[in-house]
Amino acid sequence: MAGDSLSQRTAQLDTAEREHLEHVVTEMRDRVEDNVRFQLTQSGLDEAPQDRDALSDDEQELVDAIDLEASDDESWTEAFEQYVTGVGYTIVNRLAALRCMEVRNFVDEEVTVLKENGLTPAAETLVHEEFLLENEAILEAYHNACDDLAEEIEILFDRSSVYSLLDPDDDTFEDLCGMLDSVPDEVWRADDVLGWVYEYYNRPVVEALDAKNTLEPEDVGPANQFYTPHWVVRMLADNSLGKLYLEATNQEDAIPDPESLSPEERKSRLVTPEDAPSVHELCTYLIPDEEPGEAPEFDHPRELRVIDPACGSGHFLLYAFDILERIWWAETDLDRAEIPAKILEHNLYGVDIDLRSCQLSAFNLYLKARTRAEAEEGRFEMPNVGIVCADARVAEVEEAADVLDEITGEGTDLREAIDEIIETFHHTEALGSLLDVSGTLEEAFDAETTQTELGDYADSSHQSLNSFLKALRRAVDDRTSDSFGEQNLKSFLNLLVVLTQEYDTALMNPPYGSRGRMPDDVTQYIEANYQYTPEYYINFFEACDQLSRPNGRVGMLVPRSFMFKRRFLEFRADFIGSR
């Protein structure tokens, strides 16, 4: 552990580092999008093709990809520009992720650093051993690295995705690598660097949406891309997850007096094992309660669950990892090198409507866990992680209807309830984790019936809707292929499982908005399924309350409008009352 140099820096970037990174990301965005736009224009795709039958196979794939970007009332030009942004971001994000791995020595040979001879180390090997031409070797080495990593982190490095149909040309790739290299290695080692890349790349989109009075469903995700300051993340997590653990283990006396640390001491405390080996030493923002609280009991750390229902790039989950790691140290005798994978497997869950956010969140957790495992001189294998995408498109499961009929019984109450929730989610864009799964399915769920129907997939009887959905997910895994619709069904069932579990702690910086900032379909759904007035942060608080087990904790960053606006009177009365 003494050699854990990667953990010696603070988890967040300082102002000067962020400003330089923003400048670099802006340059990369402009360069790569110009190149993608040029390549598409060279293929004549800057305008909608009149004769699609005359297109080559590659051009037809690109046309299909651009079509996927278009909403019902969007023009080809709008869809074209959205596709350019998607491809550009994928390239920049992938290169930045590779750079993060290179500075951690997670790849054998660098693919983003150019030597004096104009080749990357990995490309140089291909020239000498595979006899590739120099102008082919650089991109081929990049492709090989992505393909190798896709076996472990498919969500980010899968080159079969629609945004991977175009590569930057040779000159652009070299320019992008040069821009990456202008950022110091220690910046690429920070926990939050890819979150800032995400925010800076999408800043023009966000600024344009800020000027709109009314948001379309597809605008909700980008309009709420704001990065939570690290000290805010720590304050919320310390006083929810951290305090919950101390209360559950009768360690409330370890919570320091508020005056014992200055604001700067709270903010600057390093998170290394040497500097903060226990929960109470790590959680510098702990504030003692006037009255002792009750916490859910647990027998083993694997029972603790933390969710961020709008996880973005995973900032809350990354810090929750630090707290959970210390809980595992204290409560188990496991080899410390084994614990990072256990945390990802059992403890952390996230949902977001933006696939790119989910990719980032999963990758950031991978980097965090692998860095810690290797610092403890162990090997790390990526488990399945609980990060799920709540994009309405995952409910496009028509191709898989026969599979559901076979498993749940065509025409049964349960099958019809599943259809209802699929239809609702599919046609209520930007709903995300506000989907009330339990409210829709619980009434149709019959433990005795479903135990019989899914007996081959259950370790025990289905005493809960969540255990039934897990068994249904296993059954679907066994009976489906890799078709688009059936893959969507698996993804949708993953979402349902995550949204029907109970959590000890919910942490988030929720979306904000009502009226014009909340799409009409979402407003109508909230009015029909939630107790309080439609307002994103209020409704997410209600969702978090439903997701949390009795005596669980919710840590949220919210505006103060609920304290005095008349339309929040009912919520305010419950919030400060006995509920």
Side-chain angles (χ1 to χ4, degrees):
M1 278 189 310
D4 184 11
S5 61
L6 298 182
S7 295
Q8 296 302 318
R9 67 155 294 131
T10 54
Q12 74 276 9
L13 302 178
D14 63 29
T15 301
E17 289 169 331
R18 291 198 304 270
E19 288 176 351
H20 179 238
L21 183 65
E22 180 176 12
H23 174 72
V24 171
V25 171
T26 300
E27 281 192 324
M28 293 180 75
R29 182 188 65 232
D30 293 344
R31 182 72 173 91
V32 72
E33 290 191 5
D34 282 347
N35 185 247
V36 171
R37 196 176 289 108
F38 173 77
Q39 291 186 57
L40 291 171
T41 301
Q42 287 291 98
S43 297
L45 299 182
D46 52 324
E47 296 182 356
Q50 300 300 312
D51 184 6
R52 299 196 175 197
D53 292 336
L55 299 174
S56 67
D57 290 344
D58 288 346
E59 290 169 341
Q60 185 59 60
E61 276 193 286
L62 288 168
V63 168
D64 291 343
I66 295 171
D67 280 339
L68 286 173
E69 298 292 329
S71 301
D72 294 338
D73 57 347
E74 284 188 325
S75 67
W76 176 269
T77 299
E78 291 170 316
F80 176 91
E81 286 301 323
Q82 289 172 19
Y83 185 66
V84 168
T85 298
V87 173
Y89 174 75
T90 298
I91 292 169
V92 169
N93 189 38
R94 210 169 264 170
L95 288 171
L98 285 166
R99 190 74 193 114
C100 288
M101 299 191 73
E102 290 169 347
V103 300
R104 290 167 169 80
N105 298 317
F106 288 173
V107 294
D108 293 332
E109 293 182 304
E110 294 166 319
V111 296
T112 73
V113 178
L114 296 168
K115 301 172 66 175
E116 290 185 3
N117 63 6
L119 294 173
T120 63
E124 193 171 45
T125 297
L126 292 178
V127 169
H128 293 155
E129 297 183 3
E130 304 292 336
F131 307 110
L132 265 64
L133 296 175
E134 290 188 359
N135 61 352
E136 298 175 348
I138 293 177
L139 277 176
E140 184 64 21
Y142 164 67
H143 290 162
N144 291 344
C146 290
D147 293 343
D148 289 344
L149 291 167
E151 295 179 11
E152 191 170 21
I153 324 167
E154 182 180 8
I155 195 170
L156 184 60
F157 291 104
D158 177 18
R159 291 198 305 116
S160 65
S161 68
V162 293
Y163 291 138
S164 300
L165 297 177
L166 290 175
D167 284 315
D169 62 28
D170 295 341
D171 289 342
T172 302
F173 189 89
E174 292 176 18
D175 288 347
L176 295 174
C177 289
M179 295 172 193
L180 283 177
D181 204 36
S182 71
V183 178
D185 286 0
E186 58 266 25
V187 170
W188 296 118
R189 292 192 181 105
D191 281 354
D192 62 349
V193 63
L194 292 178
W196 286 114
V197 170
Y198 177 71
E199 177 164 326
Y200 293 147
Y201 194 98
N202 292 290
R203 180 155 287 178
V205 176
V206 175
E207 289 174 350
L209 293 176
D210 283 345
K212 294 177 66 173
N213 293 322
T214 302
L215 295 182
E216 300 300 326
E218 63 271 16
D219 296 335
V220 172
N224 286 282
Q225 291 171 2
F226 28 74
Y227 201 70
T228 312
H230 189 65
W231 72 267
V232 175
V233 171
R234 291 184 67 169
M235 186 272 292
L236 290 172
D238 287 357
N239 288 286
S240 53
L241 177 61
K243 189 177 289 184
L244 178 146
Y245 167 72
L246 294 175
E247 291 175 348
T249 53
N250 298 313
Q251 298 182 64
E252 296 99 324
D253 291 344
I255 298 175
D257 184 270
E259 305 300 322
S260 63
L261 292 172
S262 70
E264 188 56 35
E265 286 173 321
R266 294 179 188 276
K267 187 175 181 180
S268 61
R269 174 77 60 85
L270 293 176
V271 297
T272 63
E274 296 84 0
D275 291 287
S278 65
V279 170
H280 74 270
E281 290 171 300
L282 172 71
C283 297
T284 58
Y285 287 91
L286 281 167
I287 300 171
D289 292 325
E290 294 181 2
E291 298 179 3
E294 296 183 18
E297 295 181 356
F298 69 95
D299 295 320
H300 194 280
R302 64 172 166 266
E303 298 169 18
L304 295 172
R305 293 195 191 115
V306 179
I307 188 170
D308 183 342
C311 64
S313 59
H315 202 177
F316 281 100
L317 300 177
L318 288 168
Y319 182 61
F321 179 101
D322 290 324
I323 299 176
L324 288 160
E325 189 174 33
R326 283 148 181 81
I327 294 174
W328 280 80
W329 293 346
E331 302 296 327
T332 74
D333 295 322
L334 274 180
D335 185 322
R336 287 193 174 190
E338 298 178 25
I339 289 173
K342 298 291 186 185
I343 294 172
L344 266 55
E345 181 181 2
H346 297 292
N347 301 129
L348 296 174
Y349 296 83
V351 182
D352 205 280
I353 61 175
D354 184 351
L355 176 60
R356 294 177 295 182
S357 294
C358 295
Q359 292 171 339
L360 264 187
S361 189
F363 182 70
N364 281 335
L365 289 173
Y366 165 84
L367 284 181
K368 180 86 168 184
R370 182 172 172 181
T371 298
R372 286 295 308 127
E374 295 192 2
E376 300 288 350
E377 300 182 354
R379 291 181 59 82
F380 177 76
E381 290 188 13
M382 183 72 163
N384 290 327
V385 293
I387 306 298
V388 294
C389 183
D391 187 319
R393 284 174 289 190
V394 301
E396 295 174 357
V397 298
E398 291 85 354
E399 294 177 32
D402 291 345
V403 177
L404 278 178
D405 288 341
E406 179 186 350
I407 296 171
T408 63
E410 185 175 3
T412 63
D413 290 345
L414 184 61
R415 179 69 179 88
E416 290 180 0
I418 292 174
D419 266 348
E420 178 185 343
I421 205 165
I422 290 172
E423 185 74 9
T424 297
F425 194 71
H426 187 198
H427 293 289
T428 313
E429 292 185 61
L431 186 59
S433 49
L434 291 175
L435 178 68
D436 182 14
V437 183
S438 297
T440 305
L441 294 183
E442 198 75 60
E443 187 175 341
F445 169 71
D446 182 317
E448 294 181 5
T449 302
T450 54
Q451 179 185 344
T452 302
E453 292 170 348
L454 289 170
D456 293 341
Y457 299 91
D459 297 325
S460 59
S461 61
H462 302 299
Q463 298 303 316
S464 69
L465 175 61
N466 180 255
S467 68
F468 160 71
L469 288 170
K470 287 179 177 176
L472 178 58
R473 182 177 61 183
R474 290 195 296 273
V476 168
D477 279 343
D478 286 351
R479 302 189 191 192
T480 53
S481 65
D482 290 328
S483 74
F484 179 73
E486 292 179 355
Q487 286 298 314
N488 278 353
L489 177 58
K490 295 176 188 178
S491 298
F492 190 62
L493 287 174
N494 280 337
L495 175 65
L496 300 189
V497 167
V498 168
L499 293 181
T500 52
Q501 289 184 148
E502 285 190 326
Y503 296 88
D504 298 274
T505 302
L507 290 164
M508 71 181 307
N509 186 353
Y512 301 95
S514 59
R515 298 187 175 94
R517 306 292 288 181
M518 179 183 283
D520 291 343
D521 286 346
V522 177
T523 300
Q524 292 167 14
Y525 184 87
I526 295 299
E527 290 173 341
N529 293 277
Y530 280 75
Q531 178 178 347
Y532 303 114
T533 187
E535 165 63 59
Y536 269 123
Y537 80 86
I538 297 288
N539 309 133
F540 266 103
F541 184 93
E542 189 175 351
C544 287
D545 189 49
Q546 292 169 356
L547 288 167
S548 300
R549 68 174 78 247
N551 297 319
R553 306 298 156 85
V554 177
M556 286 179 63
L557 181 64
V558 300
R560 59 185 180 180
S561 56
F562 78 92
M563 298 173 66
F564 54 84
K565 288 193 174 180
R566 181 175 300 174
R567 64 194 184 96
F568 300 138
L569 176 61
E570 183 184 3
F571 174 79
R572 182 163 60 247
D574 287 339
F575 185 79
I576 63 176
S578 58
R579 179 177 172 183

